């Protein structure tokens, strides 16, 4: 898809970093001015293995803490058909935001986090977010937050991925926003077509 605006960043990790991975990640952000995709930003990532070792069981994930208006009344849900995790405020649903996974060839995960004391009984980030909790949220699914609303966060991810030696894996996700759930899902449908 050809965008009206594009921004490029490159991140590098080498064997001396704490992860002990030789990676180069190129991030391209794409934006459109047209009426079909003007409420979405695509994030395209090219993950390049710069080593002679194959990376197995590799996950790429994004953490988002929305805090819409009264953040203690936020609801987070997932539409698996659209690969869309979305958030809105329960008592004033006038803004809907979401993260959509657009790469069709990889396993996808969506984890709704209740950012409250005790969490959801499995994940509790009110006292920090450990490496074990990060791995769990990137490799498991939880499709909705507390129904009465609370402070929510989300993790969306691809994986497990295999990145062969000296090879590149490409994945794309999008942030989107609208004034109604119907409009948000129309935008998500347009993202899948484009």
């Amino acid at each position: 898809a050809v965008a009206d605006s594009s921004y490029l960043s490159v991140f590098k990790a080498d064997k001396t970093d704490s992860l002990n991975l030789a990676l180069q990640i190129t991030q391209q952000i794409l934006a459109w001015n047209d009426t079909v995709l003007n409420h979405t930003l695509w994030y395209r990532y090219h993950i390049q293995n710069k080593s002679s070792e194959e990376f197995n069981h590799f996950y790429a994930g994004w953490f988002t803490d929305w805090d819409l208006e009264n953040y203690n009344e936020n609801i987070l849900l997932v539409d698996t058909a659209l690969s869309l995790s979305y958030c809105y405020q329960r008592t004033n649903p006038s803004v809907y935001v979401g993260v959509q996974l657009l790469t069709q060839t990889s396993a996808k995960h969506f984890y709704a986090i209740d950012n409250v004391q005790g969490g959801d009984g499995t994940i509790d980030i009110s006292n920090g977010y450990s490496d074990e909790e990060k791995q769990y949220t990137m490799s498991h699914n939880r499709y909705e937050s507390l129904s009465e609303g609370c402070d929510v966060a989300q993790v969306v991810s691809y994986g497990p991925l295999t990145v062969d030696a000296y090879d590149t894996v490409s994945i794309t996700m999008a942030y989107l926003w609208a004034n109604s759930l119907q409009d948000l899902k129309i935008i998500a449908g347009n993202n899948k077509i484009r």
Side-chain angles (χ1 to χ4, degrees):
V2 177
D4 295 306
S5 299
S6 178
Y7 306 92
L8 193 68
S9 302
V10 177
F11 308 92
K12 295 180 182 181
D14 60 37
K15 288 284 193 177
T16 61
D17 291 338
S18 62
L19 295 176
N20 200 29
L21 299 175
L23 289 175
Q24 178 172 302
I25 301 172
T26 303
Q27 171 187 266
Q28 182 181 22
I29 303 172
L30 305 168
W32 289 267
N33 295 328
D34 64 36
T35 57
V36 175
L37 292 177
N38 66 344
H39 286 124
T40 188
L41 292 172
W42 283 18
Y43 287 71
R44 184 170 292 145
Y45 294 88
H46 303 287
I47 303 167
Q48 184 179 10
N49 181 349
K50 305 284 273 183
S51 77
S52 60
E53 301 171 27
E54 179 181 84
F55 297 151
N56 291 311
H57 304 291
F58 185 85
Y59 287 82
W62 297 268
F63 175 93
T64 307
D65 184 357
W66 290 111
D67 290 344
L68 297 179
E69 297 181 37
N70 184 352
Y71 64 88
N72 287 318
E73 296 180 350
N74 286 181
I75 301 283
L76 189 77
L77 297 168
V78 173
D79 182 323
T80 56
L82 290 170
S83 299
L84 172 67
S85 176
Y86 62 93
C87 180
Y88 64 96
Q89 184 184 337
R90 181 180 56 85
T91 56
N92 185 20
S94 60
V95 174
Y96 287 78
V97 292
V99 178
Q100 185 178 23
L101 298 178
L102 296 173
T103 303
Q104 299 302 317
T105 58
S106 300
K108 301 170 188 170
H109 301 280
F110 302 88
Y111 201 95
I113 298 172
D114 300 326
N115 193 5
V116 296
Q117 191 69 35
D120 64 24
T122 303
I123 299 298
D124 179 5
I125 66 169
S126 66
N127 59 357
Y129 191 28
S130 70
D131 288 344
E132 292 79 15
E133 288 173 316
K134 291 173 189 173
Q135 182 64 35
Y136 186 89
T137 57
M138 284 194 294
S139 59
H140 289 80
N141 291 307
R142 182 171 183 255
Y143 293 139
E144 59 186 63
S145 62
L146 292 171
S147 61
E148 66 268 15
C150 64
D151 185 7
V152 298
Q154 70 181 16
V155 173
V156 298
S157 64
Y158 291 107
L161 302 170
T162 298
V163 187
D164 293 329
Y166 303 108
D167 199 7
T168 301
V169 170
S170 297
I171 52 178
T172 303
M173 56 83 72
Y175 282 104
L176 46 158
W177 59 96
N179 293 325
S180 72
L181 180 57
Q182 179 181 359
D183 288 346
L184 190 76
K185 288 187 175 189
I186 289 170
I187 295 165
N190 290 337
N191 277 339
K192 287 185 79 167
I193 294 168
R194 178 87 48 120

